[in-house]
Amino acid sequence: MAWILNLIRVQLRRDLASCRGVAGQPLRTISCTSRKQEESDASSVLGKRWKDTAETVIIGGGCVGVSLAYHLAKAGMKDVVLLEKTELTAGSTWHAAGLTTYYHPGINLKKIHHDSIKLYETLEAETGQAVGLHQPGSIRIASTPIRVDEMKYQMTRTHWHVTEQYLIGPEKIQELFPLLNMDKVLAGLYTPGDGHIDPYSLTMALAAGARMYGAQIYNNAPVTSLEPTSDGKWDVQTSHGTIRANRIVNTAGFWAREVGKMIGFEHPTIPVHHQYIVTATIPEVKALKEELAVIRDLEGSYYLRQERDGLLFGPYEKMEKMVLQDSWVRDGVPPGFGKELFESDLDRIMEHVEKAMEMVPVLKKADIINIVSGPITYTPDLLPMVGPHCGVRNYWTAIGFGYGIIHAGGIGKFLSEWITNGEPPYDLIECDPNRYGKWTDVPFICAKARESYGFNNVVGYPKEERFAGRPTCRTSGVYELLKDKGSMGFHAGWEQPHWFYKPGDDIGYKPSFQRTNWFGPVGRECKLVMEKVGVIDLTPFGKFIVKGKDSHKLLDRLFANTMPKVGMTNISHMLTPSGKVYAEVTITQLAPGRFLLVTGSGSELHDLRWIETEVAQGGYDVDITNVTEDIGVLGIAGPNSRKVLQKLTNEDMSEAGFKFLHCKSIQLAGKPVRAIRISYTGELGWELYTDQKDLAAVYLAMMEAGKDEGIDNFGTYAMASLRLEKGFRGWGAEPADFIGKAALQEIKAKGLNRKLSYIAVNTDDIDPEGNETVWYNGKVVGNTTSGAYSYSSQQSLAFAYLPLELSTLGQKVEVELLGKKYPANVIQEPLIHTEPTRTRLQKKAQSKA
């Protein structure tokens, strides 16, 4: 291989002789790329009439920002303005490799990819501007047995989706890519319609469409200041003047942090160096009659596609070799950086080059004509930040795109519909910009971005955990007591136990597509809760205090439920304008007009933003405090839980003294701990809320008091199993359309066509988790929404959306798991009653005896 390396280095020196720079600094692209520069002179913007008002101002003219301008204008919005710092595509768009794929491991982002490609297929006809779309299909190569399992896992989650995807064998793979060395190829995940597009032409076509529908695009118009007004609008200041905007959208790519800083935000984005190589003409490629499919060699960690009569391939280096442009996070992006590149570093990617040569042997003799090394933007989890931002009115983001070309069309459509309709068209909470908070500091951003880039092509297991940058500053008061006792999960910056170890257990994080080392211990924890008493750390819950003159009025407006009386709790739902469920929240009225709202850990700022928006729009006289990090929460559940709690307090904890969905403040007897707020919710038994600093003392007191009752810890895996066997829906997993009275009457008149059904699945060493395909008579009829193994009933359970005619009790269907169809049948829910229900039924039976 040494001669190959020398050959490439010689060629590289020849290619870059006229544009060598200092490592990590930008190189002018004029002599380093043959991409044609067609954008008109930016000075022409001064000849346009400058708009001083706008409905929406979009900041950043990459493909994402221009797509949003196109979609908003096409939807009929007047006064859409896009401000570009220099010229369209400057930043990451112009040098992107341009890959397009329907594939995504996430269910919701598949919709984004689908909408993007469908737009790109018709954009040229609509605008008259060529986009350079190629659709030869793509293949994800499996060269190990575990990769084959991964593909079967993904197929299970794809059959019920609108896009085509197939698991194919070596013969079909070679047909689609005849230049492949088949020695190690076992299978492939084939997606017809995938391919690549010219990013520059795509952006120009979107811009042409945006202008055609009335949007204004200003080049050479950098934003210098953003000033909020008292009525929720924005003064957007540029060197050409100020625009008063009803809303602003940050689509500024790797300048997004600079834009955010103008209004006090430190967006957790960071540029990474990504390289790809373009070859000269390869005779074997030129001789082909059809374009090669795009391949992604997962073990080699690179993508490869045809570029004219040559090849283009780009690797993803390992964590220890990849390069972050972290100086831009500390010091800002160099003012003049636009259509520039970094100096390439072939040594850094040589391991992947050699693997590509092994898989595609014609590369060994190919001449390199270009090596592109440019900045692309990463967030800590590699997903973009899309939507309105918490903490300020009418500020939206569409930033952090590691794959902006394939996301641009779909994200533009998604955001346009959200802005114009007042609610998102579907759930995309994994991309919510509010999933990050102050805990997302620079060291965390750097560690996670490095991990995410280096892990780009690792096997995607269920219940995946990644450990870089952990723990953050978000640790509960019992973290130090529990961290070495079990396997921790990561939830919105928090560490929370998934399951606990006992002597003889196979410990540690050991992911698998089948049941793995946690299966037995989780069963032990479920038995503990069902027969004795268990304690769980629930601190990651989002928690808000709402108080003030209009608190009751506000919550009546926000939630489709009657507010609980003082000392009581209920579960309520926030609705969107069309009546869909936006959030599920547990509400307790602590005192007259003072409410505690509790939501899921991943929904903390997502829900708070919705509440704050209603407060601002309605002019409510309320005070809202986010107490998520101030208050720790412990759950205690099981038939012996009342006995344990009674030992801790003089309060009456009997069934008559403390009823279901009641709440009261208690004092621990003989303990220097402030009053504890305790709620009896049934699903998790009891929830104890106390100051974070007192949480360890409360935990230790409970464990001491429960020794004789067999008390022990349990984690979130056990909680999920117990939830499912009791028939509780999981928020975010079963998004039922909880609608208002008028809409409900309309649906009742029209009739439902599907139902969320409770099913038992006859499996072996694998269990459903959600998003699996449901089959009947050889046809796809639905999908699961959540699933787990029920240790109490010794069977796998799932919720699944089924057609009404297949939702009756006893109906038989099949659930696909890892490529195999398992028999399932609709059953009566729940299998296991909650503790209050069990107690009530026991009393009823005793009274009849």
Side-chain angles (χ1 to χ4, degrees):
M1 241 349 146
W3 70 271
I4 298 172
L5 179 58
N6 289 331
L7 174 63
I8 294 175
R9 284 174 174 160
V10 169
Q11 182 67 44
L12 177 60
R13 282 196 295 269
R14 185 167 66 247
D15 293 338
L16 299 181
S18 62
C19 57
R20 178 68 64 185
V22 179
Q25 297 300 312
L27 297 173
R28 296 303 302 178
T29 64
I30 294 173
S31 58
C32 295
T33 178
S34 61
R35 191 182 296 275
K36 188 176 181 181
Q37 304 297 317
E38 298 175 348
E39 181 68 294
S40 61
D41 186 359
S43 64
S44 65
V45 73
L46 299 177
K48 293 182 181 180
R49 177 178 175 272
W50 183 257
K51 296 180 69 67
D52 55 10
T53 62
E55 179 72 19
T56 300
V57 167
I58 301 164
I59 304 170
C63 59
V64 173
V66 179
S67 173
L68 178 57
Y70 160 84
H71 280 95
L72 285 173
K74 186 174 182 179
M77 180 177 287
K78 306 300 181 184
D79 296 328
V80 176
V81 173
L82 184 145
L83 301 175
E84 164 51 39
K85 183 176 183 288
T86 55
E87 56 181 306
L88 299 185
T89 76
S92 296
T93 297
W94 73 272
H95 64 73
L99 298 179
T100 57
T101 178
Y102 285 111
Y103 175 86
H104 195 279
I107 297 302
N108 295 322
L109 278 164
K110 286 183 191 292
K111 300 176 185 176
I112 295 293
H113 287 209
H114 174 267
D115 288 346
S116 289
I117 293 177
K118 291 306 175 186
L119 170 65
Y120 301 164
E121 288 174 344
T122 61
L123 194 58
E124 182 174 345
E126 181 183 2
T127 65
Q129 179 91 26
V131 298
L133 178 64
H134 296 247
Q135 295 184 282
S138 77
I139 312 166
R140 301 175 70 83
I141 302 294
S143 53
T144 66
I146 197 65
R147 288 291 187 185
V148 177
D149 278 351
E150 180 184 20
M151 292 178 179
K152 290 177 180 178
Y153 174 74
Q154 286 300 330
M155 286 300 301
T156 293
R157 300 157 62 86
T158 300
H159 286 302
W160 59 277
H161 197 268
V162 66
T163 58
E164 291 183 84
Q165 188 170 286
Y166 304 97
L167 184 62
I168 61 176
E171 184 176 336
K172 180 65 175 178
I173 294 171
Q174 190 159 43
E175 177 187 328
L176 294 166
F177 202 105
L179 304 181
L180 213 57
N181 175 4
M182 302 300 295
D183 290 349
K184 296 181 180 179
V185 176
L186 300 178
L189 203 62
Y190 171 52
T191 312
D194 282 8
H196 54 96
I197 196 169
D198 177 49
Y200 181 86
S201 299
L202 168 64
T203 307
M204 292 304 120
L206 289 168
R211 294 185 182 104
M212 183 172 68
Y213 293 116
Q216 289 285 344
I217 297 176
Y218 295 104
N219 287 327
N220 277 351
V223 173
T224 57
S225 177
L226 295 170
E227 298 294 335
T229 64
S230 59
D231 59 352
K233 297 182 180 181
W234 290 90
D235 283 338
V236 183
Q237 298 177 10
T238 77
S239 58
H240 303 295
T242 299
I243 303 176
R244 174 68 59 88
N246 289 354
R247 74 184 56 79
I248 55 177
V249 186
N250 182 350
T251 63
F254 53 69
W255 287 285
R257 283 181 66 87
E258 270 81 347
V259 174
K261 285 179 179 178
M262 293 180 186
I263 54 177
F265 288 119
E266 295 275 351
H267 293 312
T269 61
I270 186 170
V272 303
H273 290 220
H274 179 62
Q275 301 185 94
Y276 63 82
I277 296 172
V278 183
T279 76
T281 294
I282 299 173
E284 292 88 343
V285 175
K286 187 175 183 178
L288 294 171
K289 295 181 179 180
E290 295 184 359
E291 183 175 356
L292 293 167
V294 178
I295 64 167
R296 290 171 175 83
D297 180 2
L298 303 178
E299 292 303 307
S301 192
Y302 64 85
Y303 56 83
L304 185 146
R305 68 169 176 84
Q306 186 171 336
E307 174 72 4
R308 297 185 175 89
D309 292 330
L311 296 173
L312 178 155
F313 65 104
Y316 291 96
E317 308 96 296
K318 295 178 181 177
M319 289 175 57
E320 61 272 17
K321 289 188 176 182
M322 65 86 65
V323 175
L324 299 172
Q325 194 62 31
D326 51 353
S327 65
W328 290 7
V329 175
R330 297 190 305 269
D331 308 323
V333 182
F337 197 97
K339 288 195 170 181
E340 286 79 23
L341 293 173
F342 300 122
E343 182 180 6
S344 58
D345 182 356
L346 193 60
D347 288 340
R348 203 171 74 227
I349 62 173
M350 198 58 207
E351 173 187 352
H352 305 279
V353 172
E354 291 173 351
K355 289 181 179 179
M357 289 177 172
E358 181 182 1
M359 185 66 77
V360 186
V362 296
L363 281 172
K364 295 177 181 179
K365 297 180 291 183
D367 289 331
I368 294 173
I369 60 171
N370 206 358
I371 298 181
V372 175
S373 177
I376 57 175
T377 308
Y378 267 41
T379 61
D381 62 8
L382 191 51
L383 296 177
M385 300 170 62
V386 179
H389 211 287
C390 184
V392 64
R393 297 170 65 185
N394 297 317
Y395 172 64
W396 297 62
T397 64
I399 59 177
F401 290 91
Y403 309 103
I405 304 303
I406 186 53
H407 285 153
I411 288 295
K413 182 176 186 289
F414 177 84
L415 272 183
S416 174
E417 292 181 11
W418 192 347
I419 289 170
T420 55
N421 298 331
E423 62 181 273
Y426 50 86
D427 180 33
L428 199 62
I429 195 171
E430 61 266 47
C431 296
D432 185 4
N434 305 296
R435 68 188 185 273
Y436 298 118
K438 294 180 180 179
W439 53 271
T440 317
D441 57 19
V442 172
F444 177 83
I445 297 169
C446 292
K448 296 305 285 188
R450 185 176 294 280
E451 178 186 57
S452 293
Y453 188 90
F455 282 22
N456 243 297
N457 288 308
V458 299
V459 177
Y461 289 103
K463 295 181 170 59
E464 183 183 49
E465 287 291 325
R466 295 185 177 182
F467 298 96
R470 295 170 52 183
T472 71
C473 61
R474 273 193 155 184
T475 54
S476 78
V478 295
Y479 172 70
E480 290 297 326
L481 296 173
L482 301 179
K483 66 179 183 179
D484 297 325
K485 295 182 177 180
S487 180
M488 288 287 179
F490 189 70
H491 302 273
W494 297 94
E495 299 290 326
Q496 188 176 25
H498 278 163
W499 60 281
F500 287 89
Y501 307 147
K502 294 293 182 185
D505 287 346
D506 182 10
I507 67 173
Y509 172 65
K510 297 182 179 179
S512 173
F513 292 106
Q514 286 88 18
R515 294 170 184 166
T516 183
N517 60 331
W518 54 261
F519 183 78
V522 170
R524 180 176 63 218
E525 292 173 19
C526 288
K527 183 177 182 181
L528 167 78
V529 175
M530 291 300 295
E531 297 179 0
K532 296 179 182 178
V533 56
V535 176
I536 184 171
D537 181 13
L538 299 174
T539 298
F541 281 158
K543 302 171 283 286
F544 320 124
I545 297 291
V546 179
K547 62 181 180 179
K549 185 182 73 173
D550 294 337
S551 60
H552 205 294
K553 180 181 177 183
L554 168 69
L555 298 182
D556 274 340
R557 167 70 175 164
L558 280 169
F559 292 95
N561 202 353
T562 302
M563 287 302 101
K565 297 178 181 179
V566 175
M568 296 195 70
T569 297
N570 70 20
I571 297 175
S572 299
H573 297 86
M574 286 195 289
L575 307 179
T576 67
S578 69
K580 295 179 180 179
V581 174
Y582 184 81
E584 182 179 88
V585 179
T586 300
I587 303 176
T588 302
Q589 189 165 187
L590 305 174
R594 180 183 174 88
F595 296 86
L596 171 66
L597 276 58
V598 180
T599 188
S601 58
S603 303
E604 176 193 344
L605 299 182
H606 169 271
D607 294 358
L608 183 59
R609 185 206 64 80
W610 189 267
I611 296 169
E612 289 178 344
T613 299
E614 179 61 31
V615 170
Q617 292 177 349
Y620 294 91
D621 182 4
V622 296
D623 179 70
I624 301 173
T625 306
N626 186 350
V627 295
T628 299
E629 296 186 2
D630 302 323
I631 297 179
V633 187
L634 294 173
I636 179 170
N640 295 342
S641 55
R642 283 186 188 270
K643 296 178 183 178
V644 174
L645 292 172
Q646 190 63 78
K647 293 179 182 180
L648 295 172
T649 181
N650 295 324
E651 290 285 338
D652 184 2
M653 302 300 294
S654 68
E655 293 173 20
F658 207 143
K659 297 180 180 180
F660 181 49
L661 294 180
H662 280 60
C663 172
K664 63 173 67 176
S665 181
I666 67 171
Q667 183 70 43
L668 290 189
K671 300 291 182 181
V673 174
R674 292 184 184 180
I676 299 170
R677 183 69 59 177
I678 183 169
S679 296
Y680 182 31
T681 59
E683 179 181 359
L684 293 174
W686 311 79
E687 294 171 9
L688 287 74
Y689 296 79
T690 189
D691 284 355
Q692 195 73 259
K693 63 182 180 60
D694 292 332
L695 195 66
V698 175
Y699 170 83
L700 291 172
M702 278 201 299
M703 299 304 283
E704 179 65 27
K707 280 183 177 180
D708 294 340
E709 315 302 334
I711 198 169
D712 210 339
N713 298 296
F714 72 103
T716 57
Y717 286 180
M719 181 174 69
S721 174
L722 293 166
R723 171 191 74 82
L724 200 70
E725 63 186 20
K726 292 180 177 65
F728 286 105
R729 276 73 169 162
W731 170 241
E734 289 82 40
D737 288 340
F738 191 97
I739 57 179
K741 183 177 180 180
L744 183 61
Q745 290 173 337
E746 182 179 349
I747 284 183
K748 184 178 180 180
K750 292 181 177 179
L752 297 171
N753 57 21
R754 65 174 187 164
K755 179 181 178 182
L756 188 64
S757 303
Y758 197 45
I759 62 175
V761 189
N762 184 16
T763 65
D764 37 47
D765 65 340
I766 187 171
D767 301 294
E769 61 168 4
N771 295 319
E772 292 92 4
T773 302
V774 181
W775 296 79
Y776 178 71
N777 281 349
K779 294 182 179 180
V780 174
V781 294
N783 63 281
T784 63
T785 58
S786 65
Y789 185 77
S790 166
Y791 294 88
S792 299
S793 64
Q794 297 288 295
Q795 61 185 329
S796 289
L797 301 175
F799 279 109
Y801 277 117
L802 297 176
L804 276 184
E805 63 271 19
L806 297 179
S807 64
T808 57
L809 292 180
Q811 175 66 54
K812 296 186 183 301
V813 293
E814 293 178 308
V815 175
E816 183 181 348
L817 298 169
L818 215 59
K820 180 180 177 181
K821 296 174 184 176
Y822 291 87
N825 61 288
V826 179
I827 60 174
Q828 180 69 49
E829 59 177 292
L831 279 179
I832 308 295
H833 291 295
T834 61
E835 185 180 338
T837 303
R838 291 198 303 271
T839 301
R840 186 176 68 251
L841 292 175
Q842 288 170 359
K843 287 183 176 180
K844 186 175 180 180
Q846 291 170 358
S847 66
K848 290 182 178 180

